[in-house]
Every structure is written in structure tokens, then in C-alpha cells.
Amino acid sequence: MRADVSPRVFACLDRSGLWRHIYLPRSADAGATAMTTYGIPLLVLATTDSAALTGLAFALEWVPRLGAFTLAGAVVDRYGTTRVFRLACLARAVVVIAAALLLSAVDGNGGATVTVMVLAASTGVLSEFSYIAAETAGASVSREAGDQAHRVQSALMGIDQVATLSGPALAGLLLEWSGATGMLSAVAFFSLLGAGLAPRQPAVRPTAAPVPAITGLRTGWATLRSLPALGWLVMGVTLSNLSLGLLQAATPVIVVKELGHSSADVGLVWSAAAGASLLAIALCRKAIDRYGLWPVGALSGGIAACACLALSTAHHYTIYLVLTAALMVGEGGITVVLRTVRSHLIPPDRFGSTLSLTILLLLLPFPLAGVLVAITPPHLLGHAIACCAVLQAVGLTVAFTRLRAYPLRRP
């Protein structure tokens, strides 16, 4: 892995250094990412008043991300985390400011629809470049933490969940009270803040020749095949993400169209869910210390699958909010386990490429979920959620059964 600072330097940072060089940039980027991920579908629904276009926009937001991951991993390995992170944040700020200006200037639904669709695709790509850079820097700290890696990962997950706690609510409120301009201005602010907080470190000298994205993909695939524990876990979480993606894409439609609530209430659903997930992450850290990875992961998977199945029959806003929070409690525990296993097993010199591949696999269900919402009538979304919940339960059961059979060691 090529990075702006070696893992040993990261490990030697004191607490204030970790906040300055790792946690604060991650916080600003996570805030911008959360607002775009949850706010853009709301913006599309408010602009077009179409459930089908909302699902299509969700798919457009995620499809370019999939293509960006392998390239992002190779770029981070070559140029370092700081340069990639800063440029991605600056580009995202420019894109959202341009979209805000266009939305205030265009006349008619056609121009606004094209603008928000392009906005969804472009912010998705740029957010993943910044995420890969931030995740690679955090992984350097985790590897040096040894047996305490799950504590570092819990802190990073906590940052992500705080952003998910505040981002959707802020996006919904700003969209409700100040329109698209207010919401997109906030995204631009967080993006510029992330670019400014990126550590000023010596630039990495580029390698002699660019690393093709397909080469990084092959390297990541070979590494993943040599790590059966990680491979089975990625498979299970991928199936689980189909349920999560379907809920993310369908929630604006369900809450606004079916339950008759506002955009701010949609943001409140995900903010409450993130708060519950944040508590679960804190508990998982102590539970892993005492009981180990496998029991905590298996329990988290059971909670997530049961909550998702119950969500398919929820017909009241409060029940929907509570069950979504329960689902995210389980997802938070699963993610801590996955990130800890990933940081333990992936060799440092192949981390960027393997990380990109695993995230690519984990995100494949999200554009599919958007397509499902686009083609499914709103009153049948509950049946689609139930089918995905069954797949989720089967996938997580197989994953944690296989995880228990394989030791956590590198090839």
C-alpha cells in the first residue's frame, strides 16, 4: 500500500494527532456522504413527485460507485490517501454548488430531473474515492493496533454513525425549510471542510507506471479467495445489504406516499436508526472483548434479519421507525465484525485493492435495490422487503456458520 505516511507513523500519533489526521477528516467526509446518500432520493422525490424516478435515482447513485471502487483502490495505492481525499472532496463541493445553481435557474421539470439524476451519479463516484482514501488511512492505524483493532474500527464506525445520525435529519429539514439550495449548500460546506482538514503531508512519488484497475481487481480477488473466513462473511453481508439497500431506496416512498409523512420525517427515521446503531457499536466493542467475534456477529445477524422481516408488515410510522432502528442495531454489529476481520486478515501490501473489491461486492445489491423500487408498485414494497429478509437470514446463517470453522489468519 502506498500512503502519505507509513503505518508506523500513524501508529505513533498521539490522541490529538489521530483526531487531526484521521478522525476529523473522516467526520467531515462522512457528513457530506450521509447527506447525499439519504438526501438526494428525497430531493428527487420532491422535484419529480415520482416513486419510480426516486428508485431510479437511487440506482444511478450507486451504479457509478461500483465502477469507481477498483479504480479508487488503485489510485489510492499509487498516489496516497491525502491527495485523493482532498481532490475528491473539492470536486464534490464544485458539483453540488453547480447543481444548486442549475436547479434555481432551470425552468420546467425536464431540466430539474436531468440535474438531480446527474447529481446522484457524480456525487456517488466522488464520495467513494474519498471513502476509500479515508478507509485506507484508518486501516493503517487498525493494523498497528493488533488485538485492539476492533477499538479503532469501532471509533471509525462511530464517526460514520454519528454522520448518519445527523446527516439524514439535517438533509430532510433543510430540504423542507430551505429547499434544494439549502441542502446542497450544506453538502458543499462539509466537502470543503474535509478538503481543508486533510493532513498536509509530503506527496507520494507516483509509481513508474499506472496500475490498471483490472490488475487491482485480480489482486483483490486472489487475496479474497485465499481468505475463506473473509470470503464467506462478505457473501453473507452482501445478501444482507440487499435488504438494507431496498429499505434505503423505499423509505422515502413508503413514508411520504404510503404513510403520509414529510421529508423531515424520512430523515428522522434514519437518524433514529443511526442513534441505535451507534449504541450497538459501543456495546459490540465490549462484547467482542468478552465473548469474541463470532458470538457477537451471529447475534447481530439474527437481530437484523428478524427486524427486516417484521418491517415488511409495518403500517404505522412509529412502528416503522422502531423496527428500522432495530435493523440498524444488527447491521452495526455485523459491520464492526466485518471491518475487524478485514483489518486482521488482508495483507498490508494488498489492502487497497482487496478493500476495493470487498466494498464492490458489498455494494452490488444497492443499485439492484433501486431498480426493484423503480419497478415495484408502492403498495407491494412490503412483499419485496419480506423476500429480501428471507435471503438475508439464509446468507447470514451460512456466513457465520462458515466463519466459525475457519481460523483468522493471513495467507
Side-chain angles (χ1 to χ4, degrees):
M1 179 189 72
R2 296 296 298 273
D4 296 330
V5 175
S6 68
R8 291 292 177 186
V9 174
F10 276 122
C12 293
L13 292 174
D14 57 14
R15 185 176 182 85
S16 62
L18 284 173
W19 272 102
R20 171 62 182 86
H21 293 281
I22 303 296
Y23 296 148
L24 286 179
R26 177 67 168 257
S27 299
D29 178 66
T33 300
M35 290 192 68
T36 55
T37 300
Y38 295 95
I40 287 180
L42 281 173
L43 177 61
V44 173
L45 185 62
T47 303
T48 65
D49 195 33
S50 170
L53 287 177
T54 301
L56 181 60
F58 189 85
L60 287 175
E61 188 177 5
W62 284 100
V63 167
R65 293 186 179 191
L66 304 183
F69 268 115
T70 54
L71 178 61
V75 169
V76 169
D77 284 345
R78 185 184 181 211
Y79 292 106
T81 57
T82 299
R83 185 184 299 181
V84 175
F85 182 85
R86 180 179 288 118
L87 290 177
C89 288
L90 287 174
R92 182 174 53 201
V94 171
V95 167
V96 296
I97 290 172
L101 295 175
L102 285 173
L103 287 175
S104 62
V106 295
D107 295 324
N109 291 331
T113 300
V114 172
T115 299
V116 293
M117 293 298 184
V118 173
L119 176 66
S122 56
T123 54
V125 171
L126 295 170
S127 293
E128 295 316 319
F129 269 86
S130 63
Y131 173 77
I132 289 291
E135 185 73 0
T136 301
S140 300
V141 179
S142 296
R143 281 194 299 271
E144 292 304 309
D147 293 338
Q148 302 301 311
H150 63 279
R151 292 182 176 271
V152 176
Q153 291 299 325
S154 296
L156 295 175
M157 273 296 297
I159 290 172
D160 291 343
Q161 291 303 316
V162 168
T164 309
L165 174 64
S166 56
L170 181 60
L173 287 172
L174 288 174
L175 187 61
E176 188 81 13
W177 295 104
S178 61
T181 301
M183 190 195 81
L184 294 177
S185 297
V187 175
F189 169 77
F190 283 115
S191 297
L192 292 173
L193 184 62
L197 289 172
R200 298 181 181 275
Q201 298 160 349
V204 173
R205 180 178 298 174
T207 55
V211 178
I214 189 64
T215 301
L217 189 62
R218 289 171 180 169
T219 300
W221 181 251
T223 305
L224 188 62
R225 289 183 61 187
S226 67
L227 301 170
L230 180 61
W232 283 107
L233 187 56
V234 168
M235 181 277 297
V237 179
T238 298
L239 290 177
S240 181
N241 280 352
L242 179 60
S243 297
L244 181 59
L246 184 63
L247 284 171
Q248 286 187 8
T251 293
V253 178
I254 293 174
V255 172
V256 175
K257 293 288 187 180
E258 297 297 305
L259 302 181
H261 284 254
S262 66
S263 298
D265 292 324
V266 177
L268 181 60
V269 168
W270 291 113
S271 294
S277 181
L278 186 61
L279 177 61
I281 290 169
L283 294 176
C284 281
R285 184 177 64 179
K286 296 182 179 179
I288 291 173
D289 283 336
R290 182 171 183 178
Y291 300 108
L293 282 170
W294 186 87
V296 174
L299 177 61
S300 299
I303 293 173
C306 293
C308 186
L309 188 61
L311 268 168
S312 63
T313 61
H315 299 293
H316 189 274
Y317 175 78
T318 302
I319 296 175
Y320 191 88
L321 184 148
V322 171
L323 289 175
T324 303
L327 170 67
M328 293 306 295
V329 166
E331 291 289 342
I334 293 170
T335 305
V336 170
V337 172
L338 172 64
R339 292 165 67 110
T340 303
V341 171
R342 190 171 62 193
S343 63
H344 272 303
L345 294 185
I346 301 176
D349 60 332
R350 287 172 276 169
F351 190 88
S353 300
T354 309
L355 173 67
S356 297
L357 176 66
T358 58
I359 298 178
L360 173 64
L361 295 174
L362 293 174
L363 295 184
L364 281 174
F366 284 87
L368 176 60
V371 173
L372 287 175
V373 172
I375 65 176
T376 303
H379 66 280
L380 295 179
L381 286 174
H383 298 287
I385 293 172
C387 293
C388 290
V390 173
L391 288 176
Q392 178 185 34
V394 173
L396 291 175
T397 299
V398 173
F400 284 107
T401 299
R402 303 294 287 182
L403 179 62
R404 193 175 189 182
Y406 290 102
L408 296 181
R409 64 168 180 260
R410 290 180 184 170

